[in-house]
Structures are given as C-alpha cells and as structure tokens.
Amino acid sequence: MAISAFQRGLRALSKADPSQAQVLHARLLISLGRSQSEVGGLEAGMPSMHQAQELAAALGDPAVQMHLHLQLGYMWMRAGKLDSAKADFDAAAQLIAYAEPAVACNILLNQGGLALYRLDLIQAGTALTECIRRASLEGLRVEEFKGRHNLGYLEYLRGNLAASIRLMQEAVELNADASLAIAFLDRARVLVDAGLYREADEALRDAGSLFRSDRLWQDVGEVELARAECALLDGEIAAARRLAAGARTRFRRRGNDRWRREAEIVLLQADLAAGRPGSRLAAPALRLAEEFRAEGLPTRARTARLIAAEALLRAGRPEQAREVASEAGPVRPSDPVSARLQTRLVRAKLQSAAGDRRGAKREIRTGLAELARHQARFGSLDLRAAGAVHGRQLAELDVSLALSEQDPAGTLAAIEHGRAVTSRLQPVQAPEDGVAVEWLAELRQITEELRAIESDPSAAGRVISQRKKMADIQQKLRSRAWQSEGSGEAGRPAAFSDIIDGLGRHSAGLVSFVQAQGVLHAVVVDGGRARIRTLGPAGAAEEAARRVRADLDVLAGGRLPAALRDAVTGSLNRSLAGLDELLIVPLEMTQGRLILAPTGVLATLPWNLLPSLRGRPVVVAPSATAWLAASAPSSRSGPGAVSVFAGPALDHAAREVREVGRSWPGASVYTDGEARQQALRSALSSSTVVHIAAHGQHQAENPMFSSIRLADGPVFAYELDRTARAAEHVVLSACELGQATIRPGDEALGLTSVLLHLGSRSVVSGVARVHDQVAAEVMVRYHRMLASGLDSATALAEAASLAGPHPAPFVCFGSAWTSEPA
C-alpha cells in the first residue's frame, strides 16, 4: 500500500516543474526505498536509495542529506550491516540541527538502538536520554514512548530486569499513539531472561499478530525466534526447532545474515537438547562463532563456541572441546545471566570429563551463586521463583555428580545449593501503591460476582467476559509487582554440620528427596549418620500423588453413595500404601520426628496419611536450609497474641473458631462481618498465632492469586507478598491452600509458600479438599494440644489420627512451632 502511494507520487512529480519538485522527489525516493526494503529486504530498496543519493548530492540540501543518512542507517541496521548503519546514523547526527524535532528524536533513537545492539551502553544511554529530553519539551509522546522503552531495554542489558520492566511500563502508560508490537517483543525478551517464559510467549503471540497485520515480516521472524527460545526453556524441543527453522528461512529470504545467524544459534541449542550427535553440530557452531566474531559481537561468538565445545565433548573429542571452550573467553558480569550460566555449565562438563570433579563442582556452585544473586535483585516472589529455570541444568549436573560418587553429604549439599533459593532471600516490602489497591478492589468485586453467577446457564456470556477481565487485572497486578527491586543479596545454604547439629537439637531425622534422570533418590540423615537410598521411578510416584489428591477431593464432598465411597476409599488406600512402599519403607528410619524436603508434586503430598507416618510428627520444608532457619530459637516469651477468623458460607466455621479461641485465653475471635481483610492483615503482622477457617482456593495457573474468602471478599497471596511480615504460626483450616505450583528449582508458589517466605515459622494447611466438619473437629483438637504445650507437628499428627475413617489431609509446613519457645 505505501509502496504504491510513493510510486504514484513520483509519477505525478515527473510532470511538475523540476526546479520546484527536486527536494520532494528526493524525499519520496528515500521513503520508497525504505518501504521496499521492509517488504523485500535490503536489495529491494537499494535502487531507489541510489537514485536518492544522486539527487541529494546534486541538491546539496543538508536537510535532504540528513534524511537520507537516517533512512539508510535504518535499512542497514535491519539488514544486520551494523558498521554501515553506524556510519549513516553518525552522519545524520552531524546534521541534526537541520532536522524537525520529531526527526531529531528519531536520529537519537536509532543511534541509541544500534548502540544497544552493539552493547555500547554508555553511548546508548546518552542518545536515549537526549531523545527523551527533546521529546518531552516538544510534547512528542510517540518519540518519548520509544525513548523510555529503549531505556528499559538498556536496563535489561545491564541485568536490572525489575527496573527494565518498570521503565517499559512507564512508556506504555504514556498512552502514545504508537504500535505496541515492538514493546511486546522487547518485553518478552526481558521476561524470558527473568524465567517467565510462558508469560513471554503470550506477549510474543500478541506482537506477532500486530506485525503480521502490518506485513512486517522481519519482525515476524524475530517473534518466531523469541518464541523458539521460550519453547526451549519449557522443554518443548520440537516446537523450538520448528519455530527457529521458520525464522531462519524468513531471514534467509530477506538476505538478513545477522538474524539468520541468531536463528541458527537457537537451532543448534535445540539440537543439543534433543540429543543429536555432537559430530554434526560442532562445525556449524564454529562457523557461526567466526561469523559473529567478524561482525564484532563477542557475546554471541562466545555462545556459539560453547555450543561447539559441548558438541565436541558429546562426540568424544574432549581435548578439542577444551581448546574451543578456552577460546570463548572469560565470563563477564555484563553478560546475560543465561550466558553466564551456560559458560559455567560447559566448563563444569569439561572438567568432569577430565576427572576434575572438584573443579566441576566449583564451576557449578559459582554459577548457582550467581543465579541466586540474580534472583535476589527482584522484590517480587513471583519473579524470584521464576528465575530458577536458568539454573536447572547446573543443579541437575551437581546432583548427578554427587550421586555418582555415592556421597551423602555431597549430595545433600548439591540439593541445597539448587533448591528453593527464594527461601534464602529476604522478603521485600513493596511501597504503598494506590493503583494496585484499586485493581485489587475491582478483582475482589469480579471474583465475588463470578461466585454468584457461574452456575447460572443464562449468565454464560457474562461469566466469560468477567473471567477475561479477571485475567487481565491479574496480569496487570503481576506486572506491577515485577517492578519491585530486591537487595541483590542471597544467603548461603546451610552447611552439612549445621544441619546435623540442628537435627540433633530437635531429635529429628531428615529425608531430602531428589530426582535424577527420571529416578527418585533420597538422602537420609538419621541418628547423626547420612546415607543415600535409590527409590524408583519418579513418574510412578507423581502419578500416585495425583491419584491421592483426586480421591481426597471426591471423598471431601460427602453424601456419596456407599458403593462409590467404598470404591474411592479403596483407591485412596492403595495409592497411599504404594507411595509408602516407594518413598518411606525403604528408608529404614528410626521412629521419631521427621523433616521431609520433597521434590516436585511430592511437596504437596498428605504425608501424614501414609501408613508408616500416621501418628508421627512430620514437617514438610522447602529445603533443609529453610527448615533450619525456621526452627531457630524465638526471642518471644510465652505464646503471644492469638487471632482467629471464620469466613462466610462455611459450615461449622463459627463454632470451630469459638472453640479454638477458648483454647487460648485472650484470643481475638472474628466471626460474621468482623472477619474482614484489614483485620486479617493487621493480625498477620501483630499476632503470633493466626487461625483462619474459611473457603480457600489455590489457582494452579496463577498461584499468586490463590485466596482466602472473608466477609468482605477474598484476600490474595499477591497482596500478602507485599506486606512486611507474617505471624509465626498460621493455620489455614481451608481446602487446598497447602497446594502449590512447583516451578524449576522446586520453587513453590501458593498461599502457604508466601506466608513462609514472609517469615512464618510454621504453616498448617490442607493439601486437598477436606470436609467442613472433619476440618472443624481436627482443628479444635489440634489447638487444644498446641495450647497444652505440644509442638505443631506433634499436635497435628495426634489430632489427625483421631479423625477416624475420614481423611484429614493437613500438613505442617516450615518447622514445628511451639507455644513455649526454647
């Protein structure tokens, strides 16, 4: 469409007086050449640009020369000819005095954008800051939007992802009349580096649709390539290869060698992940490394060399692999975290292959420490947990090396370095945010409306529209939280000797489960001794755990026909017995208190229901390090303040909390309209014990919006994550709020995990649905025992064992809390 319009303009000018039309003729040729290059690649646009160059030289008009250099620079940059692009942008900048304000901003934007790609962050910052200054003075919102967005991208390249997200969002909030496609694409790149690859893929789908509608095929290829990187992180290797191959074809057709090379890098990474023969991958990777080096892109050249080194190692050529890796150069702090960790991973593999296990572990631990600091730069628990995906291969290699040596202490250390890093990071209290408060109020209103209408067939259309609106608000709130920055400091995992001492003080044994190459293993620390047990296929345990959850949910419904109840109970008991035989019996542990640090879906198993563990005090912790920190002596004296809440529309809740309150003299009891959000938030920050009997919901796909329903609507995990602290002991007498969404690195997200992250020492919550009456009876007994001096794990074990034939799937998370601190 644009090309045709420019061509019609040129035909019209051919009939005009040349002395009056030459400047316009040159401008039209320049615009035509740029449009032709967007559709057909650089070569398609260069004939028009050559004509424009001849005309501009004859005219000697500096404004025309400036415009020509600007557009040529843009075309060179899109085609990957970076040196030529820089020369033309610099020439345009020399003539910036002849540019209209908007054009001057575009010169600075393009200079800054090119500097970003070449990692010249100082020049990029200078150009972009000047662009924003000029745009703000002239009221040029589109140019200011682009400048602020690119400053966000600069922070991304510096590794400050929270600041990057904040700046990009500030740009969007300018509401400039500009396409958001590039903003979606760049934001997706930031999210990938943060570990939010599924959220990134959603943003990329939006960007791709916009680019396709505008027929911007170069940008469509960049979207496909970024989606291939998301698929790699998600383990979808076939999809990654398909997307990267499509992008490579698109770039080849356009003659864009720079982006063709980027696509080939991702294809090689996918081939490595798919297990393809290294002998076929090394030569293409080395060719790419040389091409990147010649282009002046050392970071990409290093990535290609590391791929070649790993391929050579797989091909059985370790000496050549070491030589190639050594030429990749050192790890640089300015490199993206994924590049730094890839370097550590390849070095560790090379050292392991050479028999230097100590050196391999040193590289792994250095890499995992770098990742922990990366995660600590975020204030949002959501982002902190997501970042663990980048360390998955390092952590797996660490565990595999330790297991191969049959070293229990070393294996436990490997598990602790790679697991639940967020439990070692200090929580960050977010500042007051009026916008987020308004969105939360709207989200509560929609949630309550959906609760009332979603079973009404006549309201189906309204339900669909409100669910979409709910998802949009949740995403806006998450994005808001991602802008919060952390300290960048991460605690170290506990030493093996400290774990041994801690277990001795609490007369407890520890079992840390880990999965390696599809097999479950356990490190058992019992009676001051440690040993490794190989248990069996992880898939079988995971499937049995899912069956247990499904059966418990059915049994919680009540009023089942006797035959169905008997069938489901039989299925549940068989699954529990099978899990017991797989996970507990082989451990041959002595009786007594047990600390479990599970992996994957086992983190939310109802461990107290396993035959060998019934009546036994059991604590489930994210890691041994997290348990040790949570079980440290408390500075308080006595049980402290107790607050008890009953949510609406829950049978037996009011009776339950009144009975619980009687166990604790002076307890604050909130029922009916008194059990409100503000009262709960206040209690969590001021009370020592908080008990909540209310409807709960775990949102598996969006766990930060798991919620407890109170008199004035739901309280979300998201808003608790933004508070200063949580009570030492919290009891969630509600369905499924012990559930969690498990991310790589065994990072758990849900209401229980948020409370533990905020400083709760112990959280008792249900990992499946539970009948209201069963919950009430178990919880009343539990608090009587807790108030009498039993710790939370012992009190729960005894109270649940008295539930009779009705299962009570409550779990004590974190540590064992007691009303009389040591």
Side-chain angles (χ1 to χ4, degrees), residues 1 30 78 131 165 211 259 289 365 391-392 441 443-444 493 548 748 757 794 807:
M1 186 75 72
I30 293 167
R78 296 282 279 178
C131 168
I165 292 170
F211 286 136
W259 281 99
R365 302 290 167 80
R392 180 167 49 192
L443 184 61
R444 269 188 270 276
V548 164
H757 180 68
T794 305

Side-chain angles (χ1 to χ4, degrees), residues 219-241:
D219 295 300
V220 169
E222 292 182 35
V223 165
E224 290 173 339
L225 186 56
R227 291 194 63 206
E229 294 181 63
C230 293
L232 266 180
L233 283 173
D234 203 14
E236 298 291 337
I237 308 304
R241 292 201 81 259

Side-chain angles (χ1 to χ4, degrees), residues 728-750:
E728 279 193 18
H729 183 44
V730 179
V731 181
L732 301 174
S733 179
C735 292
E736 69 181 33
L737 288 182
Q739 278 293 318
T741 298
I742 309 299
R743 287 180 171 170
D746 283 313
E747 295 286 7
L749 277 185

Side-chain angles (χ1 to χ4, degrees), residues 228-495:
E229 294 181 63
C230 293
L232 266 180
L233 283 173
D234 203 14
E236 298 291 337
I237 308 304
R241 292 201 81 259
R242 185 186 71 253
L243 287 162
R248 178 181 61 178
T249 300
R250 201 177 294 281
F251 298 140
R252 273 179 173 168
R253 287 173 180 167
R254 297 179 58 80
N256 193 326
D257 285 336
R258 172 168 73 91
W259 281 99
R260 182 264 304 164
R261 287 190 281 270
E262 296 286 355
E264 288 181 356
I265 279 282
V266 177
L267 268 173
L268 287 170
Q269 289 172 327
D271 286 339
L272 269 178
R276 292 179 183 271
S279 56
R280 298 182 183 179
L281 305 179
L286 288 172
R287 172 182 55 78
L288 279 175
E290 185 55 33
E291 290 180 18
F292 279 122
R293 185 201 61 75
E295 196 180 346
L297 297 172
T299 300
R300 304 306 288 157
R302 185 184 307 115
T303 298
R305 281 199 167 276
L306 291 171
I307 292 172
E310 195 166 355
L312 288 166
L313 186 60
R314 180 179 295 175
R317 294 150 65 184
E319 291 300 326
Q320 191 177 351
R322 277 192 288 277
E323 181 182 345
V324 167
S326 68
E327 294 171 358
V331 178
R332 299 187 306 182
S334 60
D335 289 341
V337 66
S338 54
R340 281 179 275 147
L341 298 186
Q342 182 198 19
T343 304
R344 300 290 181 194
L345 178 66
V346 173
R347 287 179 178 176
K349 287 182 176 180
L350 289 169
Q351 287 167 328
S352 175
D356 183 5
R357 295 294 183 94
R358 186 185 298 273
K361 290 176 183 178
R362 186 167 54 248
E363 288 288 350
I364 292 169
R365 302 290 167 80
T366 301
L368 291 175
E370 287 183 67
L371 177 60
R373 289 192 294 273
H374 169 78
Q375 291 173 269
R377 296 187 72 173
F378 306 122
S380 158
L381 179 59
D382 192 5
L383 269 189
R384 286 176 163 185
V389 69
H390 294 299
R392 180 167 49 192
Q393 292 185 69
L394 274 174
E396 289 172 354
L397 179 59
D398 201 6
V399 168
S400 295
L401 289 175
L403 284 171
S404 69
E405 296 172 344
Q406 284 296 295
D407 174 12
T411 302
L412 184 59
I415 294 170
E416 291 296 304
H417 274 86
R419 174 174 290 173
V421 171
T422 55
S423 67
R424 308 201 307 261
L425 310 181
Q426 287 297 313
V428 175
Q429 184 176 8
E432 289 295 324
D433 185 347
V435 174
V437 168
E438 290 179 8
W439 286 342
L440 283 164
E442 188 176 1
L443 184 61
R444 269 188 270 276
Q445 183 180 357
I446 293 172
T447 302
E448 289 301 288
E449 181 187 352
L450 284 172
R451 191 186 303 278
I453 68 172
E454 56 189 356
S455 60
D456 181 358
S458 65
R462 176 71 174 171
V463 168
I464 291 171
S465 66
Q466 290 298 83
R467 281 180 178 162
K468 184 178 184 305
K469 192 172 183 181
M470 173 188 283
D472 289 342
I473 294 173
Q474 288 177 346
Q475 188 54 48
K476 286 194 291 188
L477 284 164
R478 289 182 74 198
S479 298
R480 197 87 175 173
W482 295 340
Q483 299 171 32
S484 174
E485 297 184 36
S487 66
E489 298 178 2
R492 296 178 59 83

Side-chain angles (χ1 to χ4, degrees), residues 501-585:
D501 290 345
L503 292 171
R505 286 194 303 272
H506 293 274
S507 302
L510 169 72
V511 182
S512 187
F513 295 93
V514 68
Q515 182 183 154
Q517 299 174 337
V519 176
L520 271 176
H521 304 266
V523 177
V524 182
V525 184
D526 188 22
R529 297 181 300 108
R531 58 190 181 276
I532 297 173
R533 290 287 183 267
T534 298
L535 302 176
E542 291 168 357
E543 181 56 36
R546 293 188 182 96
R547 285 199 305 270
V548 164
R549 167 81 189 279
D551 289 341
L552 286 168
D553 286 348
V554 172
L555 291 173
R559 299 182 181 177
L560 293 175
L564 177 58
R565 171 171 286 281
D566 290 346
V568 175
T569 300
S571 170
L572 173 64
N573 289 336
R574 286 191 296 275
S575 296
L576 290 170
L579 284 166
D580 195 47
E581 288 293 327
L582 176 62
L583 302 176
I584 302 300
V585 172

